[in-house]
Amino acid sequence: SKGAGNSPSEDEIINTLKKEQKKRAEAAELYLKVNDEARTRQELYEKEVIAKYLPETMDEAQLRSLVDQEINKIGGLDNKNIGRVIGAVKQACGPAADGSLIAKIVKERL
């Protein structure tokens, strides 16, 4: 457990910011559905402010390349090693990884 004087790690900070960013995106979507433009704009603005504090995320092409490299490294992809491939790619990307996008790309390769 954390002591009183310990600061959060960089990964913990990044994960918290990503969660907050996701909350803003979901809220904006809901406000959009009820045609509340002002609140939609505010949520999207906050999401962009949070993005400035996050490391740049890898684009889809870079992630696809890493996924393919990892699949080649372990000699193919099947249902048994799908989690291993996702985990390895996430680790290779570090905080710049979008876990849901990585999972989507890996599942497309099955």
Side-chain angles (χ1 to χ4, degrees):
S1 74
K2 293 184 177 66
N6 290 352
S7 297
S9 72
E10 188 176 339
D11 280 354
E12 289 170 320
I13 293 168
I14 289 167
N15 286 334
T16 300
L17 287 172
K18 281 183 174 181
K19 282 181 195 154
E20 291 303 315
Q21 194 181 35
K22 187 175 180 186
K23 284 181 195 172
R24 300 309 184 288
E26 289 168 354
E29 229 172 87
L30 293 173
Y31 288 132
L32 191 62
K33 284 180 183 165
V34 295
N35 295 321
D36 189 336
E37 276 185 48
R39 284 177 137 164
T40 301
R41 272 198 309 273
Q42 181 61 33
E43 294 294 338
L44 292 174
Y45 169 75
E46 289 177 18
K47 181 180 171 239
E48 290 309 308
V49 170
I50 293 168
K52 290 181 176 126
Y53 295 92
L54 286 167
E56 211 170 290
T57 55
M58 288 194 170
D59 67 24
E60 200 165 332
Q62 291 170 306
L63 286 175
R64 285 183 189 285
S65 171
L66 277 171
V67 167
D68 290 340
Q69 285 172 25
E70 194 57 38
I71 291 170
N72 290 335
K73 201 186 297 178
I74 62 172
L77 180 66
D78 58 38
N79 284 319
K80 290 187 189 96
N81 64 14
I82 192 167
R84 184 172 149 202
V85 171
I86 293 170
V89 173
K90 275 186 184 175
Q91 197 171 357
C93 297
D98 176 347
S100 58
L101 183 57
I102 293 169
K104 184 187 128 205
I105 293 168
V106 172
K107 285 174 185 156
E108 284 172 5
R109 297 291 193 260
L110 268 179

